[in-house]
C-alpha cells in the first residue's frame, strides 16, 4: 500500500513538472493562438492540455506558425471521418488528430483550400493578441 502511494505521488510530481514546463514554454503564445483558432474552427471547447502544448510547439518550431494554422483549416475543411456500424459518422477533428506527428500536420495542411491565406487581423481577434504580433509570427511585416 505504501509503495502504491509513493508511486502515485511520484506520478503527480512528474505531471506537475510537465504542466509547469508547458506553461513556461517559449512558444506558448503561438500555441495558444493555434488552439484558439482550432476552437473557433471546430466549435469545440476543450481546454489546452499540456501534452498538446508540446506537440503543437514542436510543429510550430519545425514547420512554422503558418503551416500549423493551415493544418487547422485543413482539419476543419476535410476532417478524417469514419462510418460506424450503427450508421452514424464519427468525425475526428481534435488537436491530437492533426498534431500527433509532423506527417499529419503536413497532411492536414495540404487539405486546406489552395487559395487560403491567413488573415492576421482575424487571427489576432480570435487569439486575443495584437495584429503586429501575428504578422511577426507569420513572417509578414
Amino acid at each position: 500500500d505504501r509503495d502504491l502511494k509513493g508511486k502515485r505521488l511520484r506520478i503527480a510530481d512528474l505531471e506537475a513538472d510537465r504542466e509547469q514546463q508547458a506553461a513556461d514554454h517559449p512558444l506558448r503564445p503561438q500555441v495558444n493562438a493555434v488552439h484558439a483558432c482550432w476552437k473557433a474552427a471546430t466549435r469545440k471547447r476543450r481546454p489546452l492540455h499540456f501534452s498538446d502544448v508540446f506537440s503543437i510547439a514542436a510543429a510550430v518550431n519545425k514547420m512554422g506558425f503558418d503551416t500549423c494554422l493551415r493544418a487547422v483549416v485543413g482539419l476543419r475543411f476535410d476532417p478524417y471521418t469514419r462510418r460506424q456500424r450503427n450508421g452514424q459518422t464519427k468525425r475526428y477533428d481534435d488537436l491530437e488528430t492533426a498534431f500527433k506527428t509532423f506527417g499529419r500536420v503536413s497532411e492536414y495542411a495540404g487539405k486546406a483550400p489552395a487559395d487560403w491565406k491567413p488573415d492576421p487581423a482575424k487571427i489576432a481577434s480570435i487569439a486575443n493578441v495584437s495584429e503586429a504580433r501575428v504578422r511577426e509570427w507569420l513572417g509578414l511585416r
Side-chain angles (χ1 to χ4, degrees):
D1 192 41
R2 283 182 128 171
D3 186 45
L4 185 60
K5 284 182 183 179
K7 288 179 181 176
R8 284 185 181 150
L9 279 172
R10 180 70 182 137
I11 290 170
D13 287 343
L14 290 172
E15 285 178 351
D17 291 345
R18 300 259 308 155
E19 288 176 5
Q20 188 59 45
Q21 289 171 352
D24 297 338
H25 201 285
L27 293 175
R28 185 63 190 251
Q30 294 169 339
V31 170
N32 288 343
V34 170
H35 179 252
C37 291
W38 170 79
K39 282 173 55 173
T42 60
R43 296 181 193 96
K44 294 194 177 187
R45 297 164 37 140
R46 186 172 76 82
L48 188 60
H49 190 265
F50 70 86
S51 63
D52 295 330
V53 171
F54 295 117
S55 60
I56 295 171
V60 167
N61 189 35
K62 182 171 176 139
M63 304 176 93
F65 184 66
D66 180 37
T67 304
C68 292
L69 290 176
R70 186 172 282 284
V72 169
V73 171
L75 189 67
R76 172 69 176 122
F77 186 70
D78 187 17
Y80 174 71
T81 56
R82 189 175 75 182
R83 188 128 174 110
Q84 295 179 328
R85 289 183 186 177
N86 63 2
Q88 295 179 346
T89 302
K90 175 79 173 156
R91 181 182 177 109
Y92 297 93
D93 59 357
D94 57 349
L95 286 171
E96 187 179 350
T97 300
F99 291 97
K100 189 170 188 174
T101 63
F102 294 136
R104 283 193 181 175
V105 175
S106 61
E107 175 188 342
Y108 280 103
K111 288 183 175 188
D115 61 344
W116 182 83
K117 298 279 187 224
D119 181 6
K122 195 170 188 179
I123 294 166
S125 68
I126 290 170
N128 200 20
V129 295
S130 70
E131 185 176 344
R133 221 161 161 202
V134 173
R135 286 184 172 281
E136 178 185 324
W137 295 339
L138 291 170
L140 306 173
R141 288 288 169 171

